[in-house]
Amino acid sequence: MDRFVQQEVLQVLQEQWDPTFSIHSHGFRPEHSQHGAIAEAQQYQAEGYGWVVDLDLEKFFDRVNHDRLMSRLAERISDKRMLKLIGGFLRAGVMEGGLVSPSEEGTPQGGPLSPLLSNIVLDEFDKELERRGLRFVRYADDCNIYVRSERAGKRVMEHIASFITRKLKLRVNETKSAVGRPHARKFLGFSFTREKKPRRRIAPKSIERVKNRIRELTLRKRGDKLELIVEELNRYLRGWLGYYGFCEARSVLRDLDQWIRRRLRSLLWKRWKTPKKRYRELRGRGVTGQLARDTASSSQGPWPMSASKALSIALSNGFFDSLNLQRLHS
């Protein structure tokens, strides 16, 4: 019921507040998206702003100051009942180990209203950046400010961090925030190439995350049918590609395709177990006699064998296409 009421309050407040938010704020807003934020960041770099002040707010959703937020809301909401209702949501507390702990700061945990309230809090931050004439893009508590030099970046970092602490009563996460080149930082899972007109690329940490998930789905000790494994892979890869397919440096997608097929070849090679069965499987899949014998008797492990000529023939790209394995790169 709380979630239902919060959703109704959200619809009323969003219509009133959203049109007044900064165009550089993209998080949790109609007709805005992560891709839009990334494209705006890319445009600043193409315009010659080659340094980024990468700001991350420490535990932002847990540290929103209730008094400041209610004061902001009261500027536009005259209905005391509405203010009381929102205040009740803010103070509702969180469930921990079956017990409710009171909330003295932060926005409703997992509630539909939380993203809008966070944008209302950070709208003051956006307006300050606009007042200073800075090029910036923000998605929730993740903000990038683009400047032309490292010196300018350090100056902006110092002043803005002071504003966040002093005025907004929030904290900058010093371990995740820094001044650097855009190609060395990540924003919403993406990074950029070093070119004069930078292209969007998938950040290394994002690539490692997808690989870790694929490793889980293709464990060699899995006893499930290959078709079921491919079905699970496809569900994950389609969602992943829907977001990261926005990249422009696409060689990484081709490399991931090859790596996924190697994982599956490795899995099948281990399943075939004995030299006799391996030889039979290879021959049945079009591998010539001598190559099949040499490969089947190899003492190398599954991963090195997954790159062998025989397995590339027996378990070709066409074989995986016949299983409808999702391709990341055409």
Side-chain angles (χ1 to χ4, degrees):
M1 181 58 73
D2 277 354
R3 291 183 63 83
F4 174 77
V5 176
Q6 281 191 41
Q7 186 64 42
E8 294 300 309
V9 173
L10 171 65
Q11 291 179 2
V12 173
L13 294 188
Q14 193 158 52
E15 185 176 341
Q16 181 182 11
W17 284 83
D18 193 80
T20 68
F21 288 154
S22 169
I23 60 171
H24 309 296
S25 166
H26 296 268
F28 314 115
R29 299 182 59 194
E31 300 181 16
H32 288 262
S33 68
Q34 290 169 301
H35 287 171
I38 294 160
E40 184 176 357
Q42 182 182 15
Q43 181 60 38
Y44 289 139
Q45 295 168 56
E47 292 170 0
Y49 295 87
W51 288 85
V52 60
V53 181
D54 187 357
L55 280 168
D56 182 86
L57 300 181
E58 186 175 295
K59 296 182 179 178
F60 168 70
F61 289 95
D62 296 331
R63 294 217 165 124
V64 168
N65 184 283
H66 287 178
D67 290 339
R68 284 190 56 78
L69 174 55
M70 292 306 299
S71 176
R72 289 278 289 164
L73 290 169
E75 292 174 9
R76 299 193 198 178
I77 301 174
S78 57
D79 191 329
K80 303 296 184 184
R81 295 170 301 174
M82 177 67 84
L83 291 172
K84 184 178 179 180
L85 179 62
I86 297 171
F89 286 135
L90 290 174
R91 296 186 299 273
V94 293
M95 183 77 75
E96 296 176 327
L99 298 175
V100 176
S101 302
S103 297
E104 297 180 358
E105 57 183 4
T107 52
Q109 191 179 57
L113 193 55
S114 184
L116 176 64
L117 295 180
S118 68
N119 274 333
I120 291 172
V121 171
L122 290 175
D123 186 53
E124 189 174 355
F125 174 58
D126 296 339
K127 296 298 192 290
E128 177 65 15
L129 296 179
E130 289 177 338
R131 187 185 69 78
R132 293 171 182 249
L134 295 169
R135 275 89 178 157
F136 74 97
V137 55
R138 182 177 66 78
Y139 191 95
D141 58 339
D142 201 348
C143 180
N144 277 4
I145 304 169
Y146 290 87
V147 295
R148 292 189 183 273
S149 70
E150 184 179 17
R151 183 179 177 184
K154 289 181 177 179
R155 185 173 63 248
V156 167
M157 174 69 87
E158 181 183 350
H159 292 166
I160 294 303
S162 174
F163 174 84
I164 290 170
T165 304
R166 177 178 45 82
K167 190 79 172 177
L168 300 183
K169 311 300 182 187
L170 297 168
R171 298 179 193 172
V172 173
N173 188 328
E174 295 183 2
T175 60
K176 293 185 178 180
S177 302
V179 176
R181 292 289 195 179
H183 66 258
R185 306 295 300 173
K186 70 179 181 70
F187 182 53
L188 302 177
F190 283 82
S191 187
F192 303 91
T193 63
R194 302 186 187 204
E195 299 156 319
K196 189 174 182 180
K197 288 189 175 180
R199 291 176 297 145
R200 300 182 295 270
R201 67 183 181 92
I202 303 172
K205 286 186 179 179
S206 300
I207 295 170
E208 192 54 39
R209 274 197 297 271
V210 68
K211 282 191 167 186
N212 286 338
R213 181 57 181 147
I214 291 167
R215 286 187 184 101
E216 292 173 1
L217 293 171
T218 58
L219 284 173
R220 291 176 203 146
K221 63 182 180 182
R222 282 194 66 172
D224 299 309
K225 289 184 178 180
L226 182 62
E227 290 78 7
L228 178 60
I229 293 173
V230 169
E231 184 181 330
E232 291 180 6
L233 266 175
N234 284 346
R235 280 200 297 269
Y236 174 71
L237 292 174
R238 283 169 189 148
W240 186 88
L241 187 62
Y243 183 70
Y244 285 102
F246 190 57
C247 73
E248 294 171 313
R250 301 184 70 81
S251 61
V252 67
L253 298 180
R254 182 193 62 230
D255 294 344
L256 272 173
D257 264 341
Q258 295 172 354
W259 184 78
I260 291 168
R261 289 192 289 265
R262 278 197 68 182
R263 290 284 306 176
L264 293 172
R265 289 181 184 121
S266 176
L267 181 150
L268 287 173
W269 183 252
K270 185 173 177 64
R271 281 187 180 181
W272 294 344
K273 293 184 179 179
T274 65
K276 185 176 180 180
K277 181 169 185 181
R278 288 170 176 173
Y279 175 77
R280 188 169 63 248
E281 289 285 353
L282 292 173
R283 290 291 287 139
R285 296 168 186 269
V287 181
T288 58
Q290 189 59 51
L291 179 59
R293 276 190 292 273
D294 292 343
T295 305
S297 61
S298 174
S299 61
Q300 289 187 307
W303 184 248
M305 291 306 299
S306 66
S308 68
K309 181 179 179 181
L311 280 186
S312 295
I313 295 170
L315 304 173
S316 65
N317 294 351
F319 167 75
F320 291 114
D321 287 340
S322 72
L323 294 173
N324 295 316
L325 177 64
Q326 175 69 48
R327 283 200 180 214
L328 302 178
H329 188 272
S330 55

